[in-house]
Structure formats: C-alpha cells, structure tokens
Amino acid sequence: MLKGKHIILGISGGIAAYKSAALLRLFVKAGAEVQVVMTPNAKQFITPVTMSALSGKPVVSEFFTANTGEWHSHVDLGLWADAMVIAPATASTIAKMANGVADNMLITTYLSAKSPVFVAPAMDLDMMRHPSTVRNISMLRSYGNHIIEPAEGELASHLVGKGRMEEPENIVKALDDFFRASKSLAGKKILVTAGPTYEKIDPVRFIGNYSSGKMGYAIADHAAARGAEVTLVSGPVAIVPENPAVKVVSVESAREMLEACGKYFPSSDIAIMTAAVADYAPAETYDHKIKREKDGLDQISLVKNPDIIASLGEHKRDGQILIGFALETDDEFNNAVDKLHRKNLDIIVLNSLRNPGAGFRTDTNQVSICFRDGSRKDYPLKSKSEVADDILDVIESKYAANN
Ligand code: PMT
C-alpha cells in the first residue's frame, strides 16, 4: 500500500532516533518516496548524511540554507505528503505540536500538513507518565493525529516501562493498514450536506442558525480519504474541505439545498445529512433593505420549508443508505427515533445540546447512533474528526450487511 506514497519522516532529538534509519529503509523498500525533516537536536543522535543517503534526498532541517539563501517551504512539503510520520516524537516535540509552537522546520511542516499524521512517542518512563505529556498526546488525538503507542520494555535509561518507540516494522504496518483501510469506500458515491441554510428576509437580513459546517465537513473529508467520491452540498460556512477530492456545491437556502440534493441523490450510494436546515422561511422576500420607520415591519410571516431528507426518504431506492442527524434539547431518544421512522432513514445520529461540547460550532461532538431495530451505540465526547470516523465505520458495516 505504500508504493508511490509521499511520506515525510520527522525525526526529533531522542535516543530512539537511531531506529529512524531502519524505519526510513523500510519505507523506501516498500516503494515510498520519503522526505526526512530533522529537528536540530535530532542531528546530535543520527547524522543527516545517513538519512539523505538512505532517502536519496537532502535532509531538511533549517528554514534557510545559509550559503545559498534558499528557503525551505514547509507549506509545499505539507501539501506534497500523503502521510507524515514523526518517529521518534519526544516529549518536547509533542508539546510543541499540541500547542503550535512553530520554532523549527519539523513543527512548521506538521502545522502545514494536509495529510494524516502518525506520531510515535519515545521518551523515558516518567516523562511519558507526566500529566503534561498525557494531556499533550490526548490533544494530538483530538486533532485527528494517529498515535502509535510506545512499547513497554527496557528503556535507554535502564528503567523498565512504557516509552520505547514502537519497532520500525510495526510503524510501517500501521501506515500500511491505514492506507489499506482508507480505500474501504472506493467506488462509493456519497452525498453529504453541511452547514446552515439562510432564508432571506431582505438583502441584509436572513433567518439562519449556528451551524458551522464542521461536523459535515469532517464526514466529507474522511469519506473522501476512504476513497469515496464525495459531493458536499453546503450552506454558507467559513470553512473549506481539507481533502481536495471533495466536490463542494454551495447553496444558501433550504430550497436550493433541496434542488442540489435532488440532483445528486439518485446516483448516490449513501447520503449523510448533517445540515441544520431552517424549518421556516419568510413568506415574502424584500428586494430592498427594510426601513425601520418607513415599512413599520413588526411581524414576519413564515412558510414551512421542504423537509429535504424526508423527500429523499420517499424516493430512496433499494440498497441506498440514508443517514440523518437529530439535534435535540429534550426527550432526545424518542425524538430521534421518531424522525428515523417518519423520514424513512436507515440510521439517525443523535447529538444533544444538553451535552457540553456537543452540537453547533465546537470541534467536538458526543453522539448516539440509532438504528431502525431500536438498538443504538452511545459514544463519549470526541473530536468531530473522530466522530466522522465512527459514523463511517458503522455505515461501512451496515453497507456490507445490506449489499
Ligand atoms: O455544523 P456544526 O457547527 O459542526 O454543527 C453540527 C450540527 C449540530 C449541525 C449537526 O451535528 C446536526 O445535528 N445536524 C442536524 C441538525 C438538524 O437540523 O437536526 P433536525 O433534528 O432539525 O433535523 C433532522 C434531520 O432532518 C437532519 O438530518 C436534517 O439535515 C434534516 N432536515 C431537517 C429539516 C429540513 N427542513 N430538512 C431536512 O433535511
């Protein structure tokens, strides 16, 4: 799976850096193209000459090459990579990654990387256990980074415990498994909706809601990373997909969203509707800004918007999977299950505004995935990126069972 893949191998300054040469050799043997990025301290443990000889490319370590004035672009590197692996990742590098302290080439490259990032921590037992390291690693997890857990055993200090960098063969296997799994939705067409809808009152005002699009965009990005052909019908948001393969269809109102979904749903295998669609729109739209004094507007008459997902549910054909979201504030499960059946959905993902960190605008969400047979899976609070993966895992097993 690694043949032809572009991998950035980030090496920070720990004794386990000696294993990075073996890791690099295995990546190259598997057919990957590897660019090594070293922190200044890493060069004390293993020489750039060794790493450039094994990779066939000059090692990048400084922002500038002093004698030529050449600038190394971390942004270009970040875009080039299919994966970034930081092995070994010391406590200090992990802390900088968690907090965005961009004081060396490895961290600036990490911050620019659009690819999945794998982190193989290596440090002494007590550093590994320290609350700050534990917190920093969990922050990296919340960013969607993959932590390759260190192994237990004798450490360089002769202490015995957790902190030994995972063996190079197992790191290569982790990436291989990732790329194998990441194509699990190849050949599938997925429609995702995200964001709010804006229902226009006049040229400056609208009825809308707090949806940021983060949940839907995370699902679209992860589905594309798994190889699906993704069309993302998005209401007005301030974000863009991270995965360039996602096709975005921008809409504003519920009616525009209905029209776009009507166009893409028939050829989709799966539809995941995370958009917070306004249930009502103004009966009348003014073409000029309503003046407080002159128009004396103190009431807006509303009309019901189309229920987009219900209309897709009516036209759903055999084999298609339709997933809704339910955003609730009370009697959550009954309301969600009612929507599941009323709108003819296969699955509904419940998030409740009563759970701190769940719902609109946050980077996290807490969901329960409810099925038609009355069963459900409850998940703890996670990053929206992790929630997207959980939902896609469930959909994949459902799809495999249905087809
Ligand atoms: O965008 P974020 O800030 O990341 O926030 C994410 C989210 C909270 C918006 C998302 O997790 C979520 O819960 N989305 C659904 C919000 C919602 O409108 O729920 P609902 O219970 O009102 O609607 C149920 C389902 O019907 C949803 O799939 C919705 O897309 C769909 N619907 C609703 C109304 C309508 N007129 N047409 C629809 O298709």
Side-chain angles (χ1 to χ4, degrees), residues 2 7 27 83 85 118 148 171-179:
L2 297 183
I7 297 177
F27 279 145
V85 183
F118 296 79
I148 302 176
I171 297 178
V172 172
K173 183 172 179 314
L175 264 82
D176 200 69
D177 288 349
F178 173 83
F179 283 115

Side-chain angles (χ1 to χ4, degrees), residues 211-213 215 273-275 306 308-309 325 339 351 361 384:
S211 173
S212 63
M215 190 65 253
M273 313 292 278
T274 69
I308 302 168
I309 202 168
F325 266 67
K339 286 176 188 169
N351 42 185
R361 294 190 288 192
K384 281 185 173 163

